[in-house]
Amino acid sequence: MIVFTFPGQGSQKPGMGAPWVGHPSWELVGEASAAVGRDIEHLLLEAPADELTETRNAQVATFVLSLVVLDAIERLGVEPAAVAGHSLGEYTALVAAGALAFEEGAALVAERGEAMQAAGRERAGAMAAVLGLDDDAVEVACARVDGDVWVANYNAPGQVVVAGSPEAIDDLVAVAKAAGAKKVLPVPVSGAFHTPFMAPARERLRKALAATDLRPPELPTYANVDAAPHADAGEWLGLLGAQLCSPVRWRQTLHRLHDDGFGTYVEVGPGTVLTGLAKRTVSGARVLSVSAPADLDRLLEALAAPPASAVGAHEGEHLFATERLVVSPAAGLFSPAGNLDPGLRVEPGDVLGTVGDHEVRSAFSGVVMGVLAVDGERVTASQPIAWLRTS
């Protein structure tokens, strides 16, 4: 089963939207700009690093680009069985699950970013990543510091992020290293996120959430606060508010997803931070990422191949359904068969359409999950035409 994961603040980089400018999904950028009253295209294409790193800019830019990428994946007919997001990414996941309209999600994220940046100005904070200590050891190190410092992110085994006052973070560096930490690295943010320092932002966000039409998610959506899926819209209102002042339990979320049967983790959006965390946390997971249009073909190719866990499986072992791609036999204009729609059952040799004078025939039996080319589109040889799920 496939889960889509969505990154949070820190995955942004200057010019990250440039590869998507010519893609049909780029239209979402204009819609987001209208929803929040800001020039999101500028943030994605022209903003320098110092401007893009500001919380109010990083969050809305990462959210919008992640949904551009999601829209591009959905155009291929690929859908997840569940979603989860890291911090800010939780809002992206809720839009992906149908719990939030895109415009409302963009407005909420813009308000959240403004509120968190204001809270950071009100009370100075800092964050640092502790590498090489387990969760318990980092919690003990925080307790030993005479100051305000807490665990903010449980990211992966041996990677925990702490947050608090700058003075307490300085003291924690020495305590953590004395306890055996390999490194303690500063995180370039403007506040102590996911700690009590964000209480002013939480109050401001609650008002925005109260005016939002939040619906029950259509897919299992896993929360940062408790690493569990929640289907009740009312619960999500409380979870989103609580998330600002409580740690992101990402390692626990990955373990819960694994226990719930998810074996393929697709990071959707800029960067590969979550891809690396999944590799470190979930043994045997198939880990993929999509951040640029070139990654779309790689995603389809990877999903068309059986997972590594299926290789050498002994007789009688249950395997999840696998996917196959029907590709174009030549270059030319594609014309689909009249009955080529998702849900169509096909057998080897069935004609799915034509490319010029060439018939597009399936080499597999299965159910059409998505049509990857449109009527009249000029395709190249070996370009995917349809995605099948076989059994």
Side-chain angles (χ1 to χ4, degrees):
M1 292 195 295
I2 301 171
V3 57
F4 283 180
T5 62
F6 299 93
Q9 186 174 347
S11 292
Q12 76 280 348
K13 65 177 181 180
M16 62 184 179
W20 292 99
V21 170
H23 194 279
S25 298
W26 185 253
E27 65 186 12
L28 291 179
V29 177
E31 295 176 17
S33 296
V36 302
R38 298 187 57 197
D39 188 354
I40 306 301
E41 183 169 300
H42 165 76
L43 294 177
L44 293 175
L45 300 179
E46 302 167 0
D50 56 348
E51 180 183 0
L52 191 61
T53 301
E54 292 182 24
T55 298
R56 65 187 296 269
N57 296 331
Q59 293 197 10
V60 71
T62 300
F63 169 85
V64 172
L65 187 60
S66 295
L67 286 169
V68 168
V69 179
L70 175 66
D71 185 73
I73 294 173
E74 290 178 338
R75 289 171 186 259
L76 301 181
V78 180
E79 297 180 352
V83 291
H86 189 287
S87 189
L88 155 73
E90 196 162 78
Y91 291 77
T92 324
L94 287 166
V95 173
L100 271 175
F102 171 68
E103 294 82 359
E104 283 194 308
L108 267 180
V109 166
E111 177 68 4
R112 179 181 188 266
E114 296 279 4
M116 292 174 69
Q117 186 160 320
R121 289 194 299 266
E122 184 175 325
R123 189 166 187 183
M127 301 181 74
V130 181
L131 307 181
L133 288 182
D134 64 26
D135 297 352
D136 290 343
V138 177
E139 290 171 357
V140 169
C142 290
R144 291 182 57 194
V145 171
D146 185 18
D148 291 327
V149 61
W150 304 269
V151 171
N153 304 153
Y154 296 95
N155 278 341
Q159 185 182 131
V160 179
V161 175
V162 297
S165 70
E167 299 79 13
I169 293 292
D170 288 342
D171 291 343
L172 180 117
V173 172
V175 174
K177 288 184 175 179
K182 295 178 181 179
K183 293 181 179 179
V184 183
L185 304 175
V187 177
V189 293
S190 59
F193 302 157
H194 302 292
T195 75
F197 280 23
M198 287 292 111
R202 181 177 184 176
E203 293 304 315
R204 183 171 165 180
L205 181 62
R206 279 175 171 166
K207 295 179 181 178
L209 287 168
T212 300
D213 179 21
L214 190 64
R215 300 175 293 277
E218 298 169 6
L219 297 171
T221 305
Y222 289 70
N224 290 176
V225 171
D226 60 2
H230 293 269
D232 182 80
E235 287 186 15
W236 273 108
L237 289 172
L239 289 165
L240 291 171
Q243 185 225 59
L244 280 183
C245 297
S246 64
V248 174
R249 300 183 184 276
W250 192 250
R251 178 185 62 76
Q252 295 89 333
T253 299
L254 292 172
H255 283 307
R256 175 64 185 268
L257 286 164
H258 175 72
D259 292 343
D260 288 348
F262 291 91
T264 299
Y265 299 75
V266 182
E267 181 174 4
V268 178
T272 57
V273 171
L274 302 185
T275 302
L277 297 181
K279 286 180 180 178
R280 293 182 58 180
T281 305
V282 186
S283 177
R286 178 162 60 171
V287 180
L288 309 166
S289 64
V290 181
S291 61
D295 297 326
L296 295 170
D297 287 341
R298 286 191 284 269
L299 174 68
L300 290 174
E301 291 169 2
L303 294 179
S309 59
V311 178
H314 53 74
E315 186 176 357
E317 181 177 12
H318 173 75
L319 300 177
F320 291 111
T322 58
E323 291 80 25
R324 296 289 184 266
L325 293 178
V326 178
V327 300
S328 172
L333 297 179
F334 172 64
S335 178
N339 61 343
L340 183 58
D341 290 303
L344 174 68
R345 177 78 191 185
V346 299
E347 300 297 335
D350 285 356
V351 177
L352 304 189
T354 59
V355 174
D357 296 330
H358 300 270
E359 292 181 331
V360 180
R361 293 183 177 271
S362 176
F364 316 102
S365 62
V367 175
V368 175
M369 303 302 294
V371 180
L372 310 180
V374 299
D375 189 8
E377 178 180 352
R378 181 171 296 278
V379 300
T380 60
S382 299
Q383 180 173 330
I385 298 296
W387 169 41
L388 307 183
R389 177 158 291 167
T390 65
S391 57

